[in-house]
Amino acid sequence: MSPGVLPLKTPIAVNPGDLVDILVWLSGNQRGRLPDTVTLSFMLVGPIPITGFERLVNGINVPWGGSTPRFPGPYVEWEFSPSDAFRSLGFRFAAGGATLMTLRLKNSGFANIGAILDDVSVTVRPLESSPSL
């Protein structure tokens, strides 16, 4: 992932109670240079509350500390050493209202070398099929 921003071009619709998972697989640049900082963020259109918010690292909920994030949407930054292995990073939350969601990945690397992005997935599960948080 070269330095710069990788935005989602088409917003994703979410409805009240939908469970949303946003996951990316990232690793260090594997080239023995300086570390990279990658920012994953999402925005909800309108002042929509979110509930059951989790920050996921390799499928495990890592506590945020503080209050549950609200509009405009949280972000998280990760720093990768050049030799860091791939790991799954992301968010899980339930939408408190109908809205549109956009995503953005930003790599603050050096020159044309950056963290390695392998996969991005967004899953929106309707309320009736979502497990309780």
Side-chain angles (χ1 to χ4, degrees), residues 12 14 18-23 93 101 121-125:
I12 297 170
V14 294
D18 283 354
L19 186 63
V20 179
D21 287 345
I22 303 167
L23 297 171
F93 65 92
M101 177 181 67
S121 69
V122 178
T123 305
V124 179
R125 288 176 282 188

Side-chain angles (χ1 to χ4, degrees), residues 8 18 20 28 31 36 38 40 47 55 60 69 74 79 84-85 89 95 103 107-108 113 118-119 121 128:
L8 177 70
D18 283 354
V20 179
R31 296 185 186 173
D36 297 288
V38 177
L40 170 64
R55 180 175 56 162
I60 298 170
E79 186 167 296
D84 283 350
L89 305 163
L103 299 175
N107 186 49
S108 302
I113 297 173
D118 183 53
D119 187 37
S121 69
E128 58 272 3

